[in-house]
Amino acid sequence: MPGASSDLLPHFLLEPQDVYIVKNKPVSLACRATPATQIYFKCNGEWVHQGEHVTQRSTDQGTGLPLMDVRIDISRQQVERIFGLEEYWCQCVAWSSSGTTKSQKAYVRIAYLRKNFEEEPMGREVSIEQEIVLACRPPEGIPPAEVEWLRNEELVDPALDASVYVTPEHSLVVPRARLADTANYTCVAKNMVARRRSSSAAVTVYVNGGWSTWTDWSACSTSCGQGWQKRSRSCTNPAPLNGGTFCEGQNVQKNACTTLCPVDGGWSGWSRWSLCALDCTHWRSRECSEPAPRSGGQDCQGAELETRNCTTELCSHAASGPEDVALYVGLMAVAVCLVLLLLVVVLVCCRKKGGLDPDVADSSILTAGFQPVSSKPAKAGTSHLLTIQPDLSTTTMTYQGSLCSRQDGHSKFQLSNGHLLSPLGAGRHTLHHSSPAAEGLDFVSRFAAQSCFRSLPRGTASMACGTFNFLGGRLLIPNTGISLLIPPDAIPRGKIYEVYLTLHKQEDVRLPLAGCQTLLSPIVSCGPPGVLLTRPAILALRHCVEANAADWSIRLKKQSCEGSWEDVLQVGEEAASGLYYCQLEAQAAYVFTEQLGRFALVGESLSMAAAKRLKILLFAPASCSSLEYSVRVYCLRDTPDVLQEVIQLEKQLGGQLIGAPRVLHFKDSYHNLRLSIHDMPSSLWKSKLLASYQEIPFYHLWSGLQPYLHCTFTLERLSPSTCQLACKIWVWQVEGDGQSFNINFNIAKDTSFSDWLVPESEASCPALVGPSAFKIPFLIRQKIIGSLDTPCARGADWRTLAQKLHLDSHLSFFASKASPTAMILNLWEARHFPSGNLAQLATAVAEVGKQDSALFAVSEAEC
């Protein structure tokens, strides 16, 4: 009823709400109340002027009560007037006849959004399946900004993508990264005022490489003897993606293997013919047992039993008469008596002539005989040993014995005073000496015309040549450790050979290498090839291998006249042809060869423990007129020939050697070689190298086809007065375990080139002809050979000499030659020239003689 409104307090149908002023636009506050006679706004405790109100009156159609709407506008200036003191607020106050009613407070705020994010997302690289957390703290603003994420400019909606979610702190979280999550992520903050974008964060999801399973082992590389087999794996399980790390470890494994060589069967000798049978036939047999076939070898070809006709009287008589039997018995008795008589005569002769000849058995005489001048008087009856000359017209003896146990029988041997000690006749013997300086160029020009020798060098600095006869001699290339020993009687009597020895530069000779093969020595030619040598010459080569039978397979390669390279010998084994043999020592290899030609040592690693020796040298200019100063680091094969080549090169460049050369063991681990420079005085020097280190690829060093490589560190002096430099050069091979080889040089101190040259005693005479080429006098040599070549059951022969000289691992090779003792002495000459200790060799020979003398004394006592 209309009259009832006077009894009611006004109540608000619409109260003012919080509002935000955007930029300079004013905002409106409104309220509605019923029943109300008046409505006014009050802001921050002060009444708003009546003129600022916009009032509208009406009647509620449902209740018939009076209805009043009031609205006011508020500007930015009104709010800013009290900004900082308190918040700006307004409320409505409505009146009726019954009293007043106040509305809720409505706050009026100025809206804004700052430009800079408090925290922006950062790019990162994560492994697949790992968690990604991208943090974002939006800029300060009123009202607070809402945050959303963009992936490559597309909205990320966690409601549609269950693989991501956003935390209350606005961070984007990917619990398990996928490759598809690799993208640019942007955090977007927005409110009614503005929309801000963060910097894009690049997220890369990478995959680390994983090894596949190993393949099966390959077949053994050789069908007979020692070889190698390998297996491999690939980094594809999974393959590295988006910068993921490559698989650690080796992708190829090698293992030594041995394949049993097939042995074809061989026939034994035929047995005696059987007696003639009644059918006028007799037979003989043989067995396939020398050797028996094994390891897949072929059986013997041919008949095992052979028969043929016979025509003796037995085929026509059933049995012999008693007079025939008596005749056979008598003949056999006479034969037995003759044999016994012969044995008695032989034993008596052996007892009378047993023991070494006193000329050799007496160590004092032997030692004196090894010296150029002897001050010790000779024993009675032996003065001819050191005074006469050998009969050069004699031929060498032939070794016909076989290896036998030291417990077999009591056989004797002796040194007899035979024709080897007879004085020379009236004939004259001329020794042809060579002059490499005068004859070298002419010698090279003659042989280079042949197709086999077109790669011979055109100078004599890396070559030696000479003219030799049956007396033998020696060629050597100065400062390289390379020599060729031609033993006495290696050249047939009556023949004269012009022989050369050449060191090749590797750019002049192409040596193909397969797989993981590596060149271990210089390439050397000796010739002319095809000449007839009756005894093996010995070629001495330096090598750079750390030899271990379990780590290496080393082969001797020889080039044919057609240019192809062939494996002629597995080092440590005997060649099937018997023409080659190799004694491998720590620094050098001694190659026995009956055919001259071009040789090189090539190795193939069987494990990652296999190592080559590299020599590290540092050079720097001897003088410097500019501020720049270069330090050159050479990594070269540890053989003297390469060392001399580098030194000669640096002499031409005006460089000086800094510090002592160092040796680095470079392993077959597929890791590169790194070089870096450290600890320079920063106040005096600076490096112009942009990277922290330099690197030489593994295969450039491992193949050995480049004998030396170098890196240059360019430094700059900060003052022209600086003349001292101290630093460290580090050289190391990148290994999985992180171990490094540290080389420390003080390059303020220089070293003379002469400190690292081979002694001049070696370089003084490149060609030695005849007896002057050997430490052991010819007469003493022939006596030793004649005495020790004869096999002895007690072992007082060449086998004992080999044992005392620590050469007993080569007995089978020595035994295969006509004179085993000559082979031993030739090897001693090759190993110990020019500084061999003759006294030690004399002692070893004398001990062999004492051993036999002791046996002789025992035999006499038993009589």
Side-chain angles (χ1 to χ4, degrees):
M1 295 179 61
S5 62
S6 58
D7 298 331
L8 298 176
L9 289 172
H11 68 277
F12 288 94
L13 301 177
L14 175 64
E15 295 185 81
Q17 304 293 321
D18 296 342
V19 291
Y20 296 92
I21 296 176
V22 178
K23 297 183 179 179
N24 293 319
K25 296 179 181 180
V27 295
S28 297
L29 297 177
C31 62
R32 177 186 298 165
T34 185
T37 56
Q38 293 292 337
I39 298 177
Y40 292 99
F41 274 93
K42 190 176 187 179
C43 295
N44 289 86
E46 296 181 0
W47 295 103
V48 179
H49 193 273
Q50 183 177 359
E52 297 179 6
H53 292 73
V54 177
T55 304
Q56 183 179 359
R57 297 179 184 273
S58 62
T59 302
D60 190 346
Q61 298 298 327
T63 62
L65 297 176
L67 185 65
M68 180 177 286
D69 292 279
V70 178
R71 178 174 58 82
I72 62 173
D73 292 332
I74 299 175
S75 66
R76 184 184 182 98
Q77 290 77 13
Q78 290 176 280
V79 176
E80 288 178 342
R81 195 176 297 126
I82 62 169
F83 181 77
L85 301 177
E86 57 178 326
E87 287 191 288
Y88 192 92
W89 56 269
C90 297
Q91 67 178 164
C92 290
V93 180
W95 279 270
S96 69
S97 57
S98 300
T100 60
T101 302
K102 296 180 180 180
S103 70
Q104 66 180 11
K105 289 182 178 181
Y107 289 89
V108 181
R109 300 180 177 91
I110 298 175
Y112 67 92
L113 183 63
R114 300 195 184 280
K115 291 184 178 181
N116 296 327
F117 280 74
E118 295 185 5
E119 183 180 2
E120 289 188 296
M122 303 295 293
R124 63 190 58 198
E125 296 179 353
V126 296
S127 177
I128 194 168
E129 301 293 332
Q130 287 187 347
E131 183 182 59
I132 304 174
V133 178
L134 297 176
C136 178
R137 292 173 58 192
E140 180 185 354
I142 295 179
E146 298 178 357
V147 174
E148 61 185 18
W149 287 88
L150 300 180
R151 179 196 290 132
N152 291 339
E153 302 303 322
E154 294 184 1
L155 181 65
V156 177
D157 189 354
L160 300 178
D161 188 352
S163 63
V164 298
Y165 66 89
V166 179
T167 66
E169 293 79 20
H170 310 298
S171 296
L172 180 66
V173 179
V174 182
R176 299 180 63 185
R178 306 161 300 177
L179 289 176
D181 293 322
T182 298
N184 293 321
Y185 289 83
T186 307
C187 180
V188 179
K190 62 180 181 179
N191 63 7
M192 62 179 57
V193 179
R195 187 173 185 266
R196 311 290 187 200
R197 290 168 57 98
S198 69
S199 300
S200 294
V203 175
T204 301
V205 180
Y206 62 85
V207 179
N208 291 327
W211 288 114
S212 65
T213 57
W214 288 102
T215 61
D216 295 333
W217 286 104
S218 66
C220 198
S221 61
T222 179
S223 59
C224 175
Q226 184 179 7
W228 54 268
Q229 56 182 168
K230 65 180 180 180
R231 62 177 183 174
S232 61
R233 57 181 178 176
S234 58
C235 191
T236 56
N237 188 30
L241 292 174
N242 296 337
T245 59
F246 197 79
C247 304
E248 294 185 359
Q250 62 182 116
N251 64 340
V252 177
Q253 280 187 345
K254 295 184 179 179
N255 190 27
C257 59
T258 302
T259 305
L260 294 177
C261 299
V263 177
D264 295 337
W267 288 113
S268 64
W270 287 101
S271 66
R272 294 177 180 271
W273 286 101
S274 67
L275 296 176
C276 193
L278 296 178
D279 58 352
C280 293
T281 61
H282 60 172
W283 57 270
R284 64 177 180 174
S285 64
R286 58 181 177 175
E287 297 180 351
C288 188
S289 59
E290 293 185 5
R294 61 178 182 272
S295 302
Q298 296 182 355
D299 290 332
C300 301
Q301 302 295 321
E304 184 177 8
L305 185 67
E306 182 181 7
T307 62
R308 71 181 183 184
N309 295 331
C310 56
T311 58
T312 64
E313 295 181 355
L314 290 178
C315 67
S316 59
H317 298 82
S320 299
E323 61 280 3
D324 295 332
V325 175
L327 177 61
Y328 295 149
V329 171
L331 291 175
M332 289 180 64
V334 172
V336 170
C337 291
L338 290 175
V339 170
L340 290 175
L341 179 61
L342 180 61
L343 287 176
V344 170
V345 172
V346 170
L347 288 175
V348 171
C349 292
C350 289
R351 291 183 182 275
K352 289 182 179 181
K353 294 184 179 182
L356 281 172
D357 187 273
D359 295 337
V360 178
D362 190 327
S363 65
S364 63
I365 295 295
L366 182 61
T367 306
F370 278 11
Q371 308 302 323
V373 178
S374 175
S375 59
K376 182 176 179 179
K379 292 185 177 181
T382 62
S383 60
H384 62 280
L385 178 63
L386 303 180
T387 58
I388 65 173
Q389 298 296 321
D391 181 2
L392 302 181
S393 64
T394 60
T395 58
T396 60
M397 65 183 297
T398 302
Y399 174 69
Q400 300 292 347
S402 59
L403 290 176
C404 59
S405 171
R406 296 191 178 187
Q407 285 76 29
D408 295 342
H410 300 275
S411 59
K412 301 291 298 171
F413 74 96
Q414 64 177 352
L415 270 173
S416 61
N417 293 327
H419 54 271
L420 284 178
L421 298 181
S422 301
L424 286 172
R428 300 184 63 185
H429 298 266
T430 302
L431 301 183
H432 297 272
H433 293 267
S434 65
S435 177
E439 300 180 6
L441 293 176
D442 178 63
F443 183 83
V444 172
S445 62
R446 289 199 307 273
F447 281 99
Q450 304 180 32
S451 61
C452 297
F453 313 104
R454 288 174 182 170
S455 61
L456 286 177
R458 293 299 183 263
T460 59
S462 58
M463 135 174 233
C465 58
T467 304
F468 300 93
N469 60 8
F470 71 95
L471 292 175
R474 186 188 306 264
L475 291 175
L476 55 88
I477 301 177
N479 300 328
T480 63
I482 299 171
S483 65
L484 178 67
L485 178 72
I486 304 173
D489 291 319
I491 297 176
R493 291 175 182 257
K495 293 185 178 294
I496 296 177
Y497 292 160
E498 284 186 311
V499 182
Y500 66 84
L501 179 65
T502 302
L503 168 65
H504 294 277
K505 289 188 177 181
Q506 289 175 212
E507 58 266 25
D508 298 334
V509 179
R510 182 177 179 273
L511 173 60
L513 298 178
C516 300
Q517 289 182 339
T518 175
L519 182 63
L520 302 176
S521 73
I523 302 175
V524 177
S525 290
C526 54
V531 300
L532 174 64
L533 294 180
T534 58
R535 291 190 178 183
I538 301 180
L539 176 64
L541 297 171
R542 294 295 183 93
H543 64 77
C544 63
V545 63
E546 285 297 305
N548 187 326
D551 298 333
W552 284 97
S553 173
I554 303 175
R555 298 179 183 273
L556 177 68
K557 284 184 175 285
K558 181 175 182 289
Q559 188 180 33
S560 65
C561 282
E562 290 76 18
S564 61
W565 287 86
E566 302 171 349
D567 293 339
V568 296
L569 177 67
Q570 173 80 35
V571 175
E573 302 178 1
E574 293 186 35
S577 63
L579 298 177
Y580 309 97
Y581 190 76
C582 182
Q583 157 78 3
L584 188 69
E585 298 186 354
Q587 301 287 336
Y590 299 94
V591 178
F592 291 79
T593 175
E594 296 182 19
Q595 291 185 352
L596 304 183
R598 184 169 296 162
F599 297 94
L601 283 179
V602 172
E604 186 161 9
S605 64
L606 301 178
S607 72
M608 293 182 64
K612 292 175 58 176
R613 293 190 311 274
L614 299 182
K615 184 153 285 186
I616 310 299
L617 286 81
L618 267 70
F619 288 91
S623 61
C624 181
S625 59
S626 65
L627 294 179
E628 284 192 356
Y629 193 77
S630 297
V631 178
R632 295 180 290 277
V633 183
Y634 287 84
C635 304
L636 51 112
R637 184 180 66 220
D638 186 19
T639 54
D641 60 297
V642 185
L643 175 63
Q644 302 309 314
E645 183 177 351
V646 171
I647 288 178
Q648 294 302 323
L649 173 64
E650 280 295 328
K651 279 187 176 181
Q652 298 174 6
L653 298 176
Q656 64 176 348
L657 182 65
I658 300 174
R662 299 290 183 90
V663 173
L664 167 69
H665 292 91
F666 191 71
K667 294 184 178 180
D668 183 17
S669 61
Y670 301 96
H671 292 293
N672 298 339
L673 191 71
R674 287 186 178 177
L675 305 93
S676 59
I677 187 167
H678 302 273
D679 298 346
M680 284 191 308
S682 58
S683 59
L684 302 177
W685 296 86
K686 71 175 182 179
S687 173
K688 302 186 73 174
L689 185 66
L690 299 179
S692 59
Y693 59 84
Q694 300 189 61
E695 200 164 81
I696 301 177
F698 168 81
Y699 288 103
H700 290 185
L701 290 167
W702 186 256
S703 68
L705 295 179
Q706 296 175 278
Y708 62 87
L709 298 166
H710 80 277
C711 291
T712 301
F713 292 95
T714 304
L715 312 178
E716 184 177 358
R717 294 183 291 175
L718 301 182
S719 170
S721 62
T722 302
C723 59
Q724 296 291 323
L725 171 61
C727 66
K728 288 183 179 179
I729 301 291
W730 287 2
V731 181
W732 76 99
Q733 188 178 11
V734 183
E735 296 281 355
D737 55 9
Q739 295 180 357
S740 64
F741 181 85
N742 187 352
I743 297 180
N744 186 351
F745 289 110
N746 183 348
I747 65 174
K749 180 180 179 182
D750 66 298
T751 303
S752 172
F753 284 116
S754 61
D755 296 341
W756 314 112
L757 293 173
V758 175
E760 288 299 326
S761 61
E762 175 184 332
S764 58
C765 191
L768 299 172
V769 181
S772 63
F774 304 97
K775 295 286 291 182
I776 307 173
F778 185 83
L779 176 68
I780 300 298
R781 171 189 172 91
Q782 294 297 86
K783 293 290 287 184
I784 296 173
I785 292 173
S787 176
L788 300 185
D789 266 353
T790 305
C792 176
R794 292 289 184 172
D797 53 20
W798 61 268
R799 294 171 299 173
T800 304
L801 179 61
Q803 183 179 9
K804 293 185 178 298
L805 297 179
H806 308 291
L807 300 175
D808 47 334
S809 59
H810 312 299
L811 293 181
S812 60
F813 169 71
F814 295 147
S816 66
K817 300 304 177 183
S819 176
T821 311
M823 295 297 102
I824 297 173
L825 297 181
N826 293 343
L827 181 56
W828 187 92
E829 291 274 8
R831 295 171 67 192
H832 297 90
F833 186 84
S835 57
N837 191 333
L838 280 174
Q840 292 182 356
L841 177 61
T843 301
V845 175
E847 288 177 355
V848 177
K850 290 177 182 178
Q851 179 178 0
D852 190 70
S853 298
L855 294 174
F856 178 73
V858 172
S859 300
E860 292 294 338
E862 291 175 352
C863 293

